[in-house]
Amino acid sequence: MRRPIGIVRIRLVEQGRIVWQYAGRNLFVNAGLPALAALLGGDTSGEFAAAVGFGSGSNAPTVSDSALTAPAYYKALDCHSEDGNVG
């Protein structure tokens, strides 16, 4: 079985139009595997992303990481969309 891969998508929207976008792979760490298994198994009670964080550092990320080494930015998530459209 292959390891899950995270995907990061960033869009810059001005006046309703996408002016820049980025999509790339992101490491899915071991600490996230239980939540992913629960969601895939249909146990969605209390399982959701509550925040997003970005960090920096000189060490490459590893699957055993459980936190950002040098947190640079955290943002609580206000809402979510299951179809990819924010409304």
Side-chain angles (χ1 to χ4, degrees):
M1 179 182 295
R2 291 187 178 170
R3 170 168 216 82
I5 297 171
I7 297 175
V8 175
R9 291 190 177 136
I10 302 171
R11 290 185 181 145
L12 176 60
V13 179
E14 290 182 357
Q15 298 178 350
R17 298 181 68 188
I18 298 172
V19 296
W20 179 84
Q21 62 184 345
Y22 166 82
R25 290 182 172 197
N26 194 17
L27 180 66
F28 202 102
V29 297
N30 292 342
L33 293 176
L36 177 62
L39 290 171
L40 291 174
D43 179 13
T44 58
S45 176
E47 300 289 341
F48 55 88
V52 63
F54 300 91
S56 63
S58 58
N59 296 329
T62 67
V63 296
S64 61
D65 288 347
S66 59
L68 293 172
T69 303
Y73 177 80
Y74 274 103
K75 168 77 170 82
L77 300 177
D78 301 349
C79 65
H80 76 281
S81 173
E82 295 181 14
D83 64 0
N85 296 312
V86 177

